[in-house]
Amino acid sequence: NESGTKCSIAFSTEHKAGALLRVLKIFGEADVNISRIESRPLRNDKNDFGFILDFEGNESDPKISGILEKVSLETGSFNFLGCYKELEK
């Protein structure tokens, strides 16, 4: 069973300047490529936004597990969706 090369997380941030930037900066400083980001207003609070973010890596890599820990501390809610092997095109 090969480990995944891409991971996905879901998280929310406060709807204020710089909230998303602080999360994205964690990936940039670790030199980890983000391949997709999607945003949605949260159903229960229209002032907060939820994001789904895909990035390259695997949770068994200490660098990635460190990023996940930092992101969880920087966000309102955090859910690690898992890592998977990207389908070949």
Side-chain angles (χ1 to χ4, degrees), residues 7-11 23 26-27 30 32 53 55-75 77-83:
C7 301
S8 298
I9 58 174
F11 61 92
V23 173
I26 294 167
F27 288 89
V32 171
L53 191 138
F55 58 94
E56 294 174 2
N58 186 281
E59 78 272 22
S60 63
D61 180 343
K63 178 167 78 170
I64 298 300
S65 57
I67 287 171
L68 295 174
E69 185 176 335
K70 288 177 184 175
V71 170
S72 71
L73 296 172
E74 193 62 55
T75 55
S77 66
F78 175 82
N79 190 8
F80 176 66
L81 302 174
C83 293

Side-chain angles (χ1 to χ4, degrees), residues 2-89:
E2 282 188 57
S3 60
T5 57
K6 208 165 200 182
C7 301
S8 298
I9 58 174
F11 61 92
S12 67
T13 63
E14 291 180 293
H15 185 51
K16 65 181 187 182
L20 178 59
L21 178 61
R22 284 191 297 276
V23 173
L24 298 179
K25 196 173 179 183
I26 294 167
F27 288 89
E29 289 173 348
D31 199 30
V32 171
N33 188 44
I34 295 171
S35 55
R36 180 178 74 110
I37 186 165
E38 233 178 86
S39 69
R40 301 262 190 264
L42 296 178
R43 263 184 250 149
N44 56 347
D45 186 350
K46 299 295 184 211
N47 290 322
D48 285 347
F49 280 77
F51 297 92
I52 297 175
L53 191 138
D54 295 346
F55 58 94
E56 294 174 2
N58 186 281
E59 78 272 22
S60 63
D61 180 343
K63 178 167 78 170
I64 298 300
S65 57
I67 287 171
L68 295 174
E69 185 176 335
K70 288 177 184 175
V71 170
S72 71
L73 296 172
E74 193 62 55
T75 55
S77 66
F78 175 82
N79 190 8
F80 176 66
L81 302 174
C83 293
Y84 49 92
K85 190 169 181 179
E86 190 171 18
L87 294 174
E88 293 184 24
K89 297 176 183 173

